[in-house]
Amino acid sequence: MKKLTLKSENITKIYNRKTIFKNVTFAINEGTAFAITGKNGSGKSTLVKIICGVLSPTKGSISLSVNDQPILYPDYYPHIGLVSPYLNLYEEFSAEENLQFIKKIRGLDSTTDKFSEELLKEFGIYEHRKKEVRNYSSGMKQRLKYCAALLHQPPLLVLDEPASNLDEYGIEAVRNRMKLQKQKGVLIFATNDKDDLQFADTIYDIGQLNSGE
Amino acid sequence: MKIWLKIAVSIWLTGIIIAGIAFPMVKAPETWWQFPLIPGLEEKARNIIFHVPISWATVVAFIMAMVNGILYLRKKDIDYDLRSVSSAGLGLLLCVLATLTGAIWAKFNWGSFWNWDPRQTSIFILLLIYGAYFVLRSAIDEEERRATLSSVYSIIAGVTVPFFIFVMPRIMSGLHPGSLGDEQGKGPVLEFKMAPNMLIVFFASLIGFTALYFWMYSLKIRTMRIERQIQQQIEIN
Amino acid sequence: MTLLASYHIFVKEFVSEFRTRYALNALLMFVVTTLSIILFSIGHDSPTQEILSGTLWIVIFFSAMSGLSRTFVAEEERGTSLTLRLLTNSTSVYSGKLIYNFILILALSIIIAIAYLLLIKEFSVKTYSIFWLTIFLGSAGLASASTILAAIIAKANTKGTLFPVLAFPILLPLLLTCINATKLSVDGAFFSEAIKEFQILISFAIVMVTTSLLVFDFVWKD
């Protein structure tokens, strides 16, 4: 298990003259599941993007360290796996090709091939692996996103709406992964689903935070 | 800007305008307020006191817009974007004025309003860059994104400008003084063959128009800041 | 690592293009259309070599404009830009796309140039070394400037007409130099006479790529 800490200090995001959220402060260590909740439009997805380093905060700082090595913001990408409705895979490629592309571009070794097969089986899309993603249903796409996010075995897994578009089997697979991730590293997820929230060690409500002002 | 500075700039520029327009041009100047007659230019030479400083201020405005753009990218403070766009707005105005004063001068000196002389082409391209900058800004809604992308564009446009200095003279012969095609004397500007009193007025005008630019610039920033605050207030309520 | 990643992005662009034909078919049709318009308008007249050199670069410029913006716009429209941002650093994304754009526009320019030489008999190149080197360096310059502009445009709300508007003032020194070099090649100038043009073209591409590398991060990570 990699030692990992994610700290945020007084993050404020102002976008297009609107304050999305103010002074978000938290610290997360390995072995925890951290849930972000809040009503629609409270900035859950924005916070998720800031954590992943694809959006910079207006004020405040965010820091990630893996094995006591500080990672320079925003170059978090090698340590993060993200599943989000804003993230899509290449439609003109098959599931297998998408995963191959991710493997190559991340510079992962050949053991990844076996792991990617396992992941495809785990999420129940192994028999569809040669199909182009454009022919997938939205649930299958969501499953593939999990395979893509987990391929490099990230110490930090970030999920935005983990259960969206999934059927019971898919939800089951995702729940198992969430439990596993909690043991292996850090799990952060943004949701309003009561069933999802029971996995969390800490629940952070950003909607609450803003309504107080 | 301090009030005494504003008054000083007003008096300064009034003096220059009077001197530039009213000082008589005679063959053999006798007093300090008489300009010498330059053959080939005659009374048209007066435009040098207005056209060149305006063109200069256009370039200053562009550089200021670019520098503030770079500062925005470094500091991510939206105020730098307000400064950048204020300067670009003034730059566009000055650029139009420089083009117009130049075109009028060209009509009476070279025979037609537009000759595709290297410097005319350069100012035309600067006009296009300013235009493209504002078109880009109007195509983006979010404030931060607009600031970032327009700053990047101003940098990209800024690095191409030096190419015109090398490219233009190779493509076309020039009519402006100092360029390759200028045969009759190196021209009054580049060689500084202007009479000393005219030279003083010319440089005073350069300083005056630059000061005027900075005055307008500070006014524009203030209105931009207030506009933004009002918009913010409206959105909250 | 960065180099390898940019290579894989380049390969991905290529395979993706061959599967979707987003740009390719439209581009080839564009070339056919513009060339036939030129042929129709020439008719039985014999325009000067200068005008023909100019129209060649007009065709190349507008085909580049219609094709090169796809690389980033497609990424943004299909929501795959976030995926790419989480996979690798911005330098490798930029260089991968730059190389792809360069190959695309080079292939296109060569096709246009060959068609032009074959179809317009008034247009006769005397110094082929100058002509082809201009095509090569001109494509490099076009690709270098359009890649960063395409990244900017992909983030804007209205994408369609913006590209030529933003690109024209920036590409003008490049286009004028290319037209000048092409004129030299039809005039039968010696290779050494066009050295200055090549220096301008090379430095344009270098300056554009260097500046883009410095600022691309701001556009990409927005």
Side-chain angles (χ1 to χ4, degrees), chain A residues 4-71:
Chain A
L4 184 139
T5 22
L6 180 77
K7 263 193 207 135
S8 96
E9 261 166 64
N10 293 318
I11 301 184
T12 300
K13 183 68 186 174
I14 301 167
Y15 197 68
N16 211 15
R17 293 188 294 273
K18 280 186 205 71
T19 307
I20 313 237
F21 48 73
K22 243 183 182 173
N23 301 328
V24 173
T25 306
F26 57 76
I28 309 167
N29 290 309
E30 70 275 12
T32 37
F34 183 83
I36 301 160
T37 180
K39 55 181 183 294
N40 294 339
S42 58
K44 291 193 296 292
S45 294
T46 309
L47 183 57
V48 162
K49 281 184 189 171
I50 289 175
I51 288 171
C52 295
V54 291
L55 203 67
S56 42
T58 312
K59 282 190 203 104
S61 68
I62 185 150
S63 60
L64 177 77
S65 65
V66 178
N67 293 337
D68 292 322
Q69 287 275 314
I71 312 291

Side-chain angles (χ1 to χ4, degrees), chain C residues 53 56-57 123 131 134 177-186:
Chain C
S53 311
L56 170 68
W57 284 97
F123 187 73
F131 182 73
T134 308
T177 315
C178 283
I179 293 169
N180 217 26
T182 311
K183 273 185 210 163
L184 286 175
S185 79
V186 293

Side-chain angles (χ1 to χ4, degrees), chain C residues 24 46 52 60 89 113 155 161 182 193 222:
Chain C
L24 217 58
S46 45
L52 287 172
I60 294 177
N89 57 17
K155 304 273 178 181
T161 47
T182 311
E193 285 175 69
D222 179 47

Side-chain angles (χ1 to χ4, degrees), chain B residues 142-202:
Chain B
E142 303 92 332
E143 210 174 47
E144 289 83 3
R145 185 171 275 195
R146 186 169 58 213
T148 309
L149 298 184
S150 56
S151 299
V152 169
Y153 185 70
S154 71
I155 294 167
I156 296 288
V159 297
T160 52
V161 170
F163 279 94
F164 288 104
I165 298 162
F166 300 106
V167 173
M168 288 307 166
R170 284 187 71 78
I171 310 291
M172 50 200 95
S173 60
L175 295 160
H176 267 90
S179 52
L180 289 172
D182 181 48
E183 279 153 13
Q184 49 182 88
K186 284 277 167 181
V189 193
L190 208 79
E191 295 277 292
F192 292 115
K193 275 182 186 163
M194 267 192 284
N197 60 344
M198 202 172 176
L199 206 60
I200 289 167
V201 178
F202 173 70

Side-chain angles (χ1 to χ4, degrees), chain A residues 15 49 52-56 74-78 80-82 84 86-94 97 101-102 104-107 132 134 152, chain C residues 1 4-6 8-9 11-13 15-17 19-20 22 75 77-90 97 217 220-222:
Chain A
Y15 197 68
K49 281 184 189 171
C52 295
V54 291
L55 203 67
S56 42
D75 289 326
Y76 290 180
Y77 64 88
I80 283 182
L82 172 68
S84 156
Y86 298 100
L87 178 150
N88 291 319
L89 290 156
Y90 291 96
E91 303 249 311
E92 66 274 20
F93 294 126
S94 70
E97 284 166 326
F101 172 64
I102 292 167
K104 281 180 195 157
I105 205 165
R106 280 196 192 273
E132 283 185 13
R134 73 171 102 229
H152 58 299
Chain C
M1 179 67 206
L4 211 65
S6 30
H8 288 303
I9 286 174
V11 172
K12 183 223 88 180
E13 285 303 315
V15 177
S16 170
E17 181 54 51
R19 293 215 181 145
T20 57
Y22 269 126
E75 214 73 71
E77 276 173 359
R78 293 182 296 164
T80 48
S81 59
L82 190 57
T83 318
L84 211 48
R85 256 189 287 175
L86 285 166
L87 283 178
T88 184
N89 57 17
S90 36
K97 302 241 173 198
D217 203 55
W220 183 236
K221 292 251 167 78
D222 179 47

Side-chain angles (χ1 to χ4, degrees), chain B residues 73 125 128-129 132 135-136 139-141 145 148-149 152-153 155-157 159-160 163-164 167-168 170-171, chain C residues 149 152 155 157-158 162 165-166 168-170 172-173 176-177 180 196-197 200 203-204 208 211 218-219 222:
Chain B
L73 291 179
I125 289 152
L128 285 182
I129 290 173
V135 168
L136 175 66
I140 310 160
D141 289 336
R145 185 171 275 195
T148 309
L149 298 184
V152 169
Y153 185 70
I155 294 167
I156 296 288
V159 297
T160 52
F163 279 94
F164 288 104
V167 173
M168 288 307 166
R170 284 187 71 78
I171 310 291
Chain C
L149 290 177
I152 291 176
K155 304 273 178 181
N157 304 359
T158 46
L162 210 52
V165 172
L166 295 192
F168 182 67
I170 286 169
L172 203 61
L176 289 174
T177 315
N180 217 26
K196 188 74 180 278
E197 265 68 27
I200 293 171
S203 45
F204 182 87
M208 270 299 147
T211 318
F218 296 109
V219 182
D222 179 47

Side-chain angles (χ1 to χ4, degrees), chain C residues 131-148:
Chain C
F131 182 73
W132 290 115
L133 193 59
T134 308
I135 293 280
F136 181 84
L137 293 175
S139 307
L142 274 171
S144 65
S146 3
T147 307
I148 183 77

Side-chain angles (χ1 to χ4, degrees), chain A residues 166-183:
Chain A
L166 289 176
D167 57 11
E168 264 173 48
Y169 177 85
I171 289 174
E172 190 58 36
V174 168
R175 294 270 153 83
N176 286 335
R177 263 292 153 189
M178 284 165 83
K179 276 180 210 151
L180 206 63
Q181 183 67 29
K182 203 166 124 179
Q183 291 157 14

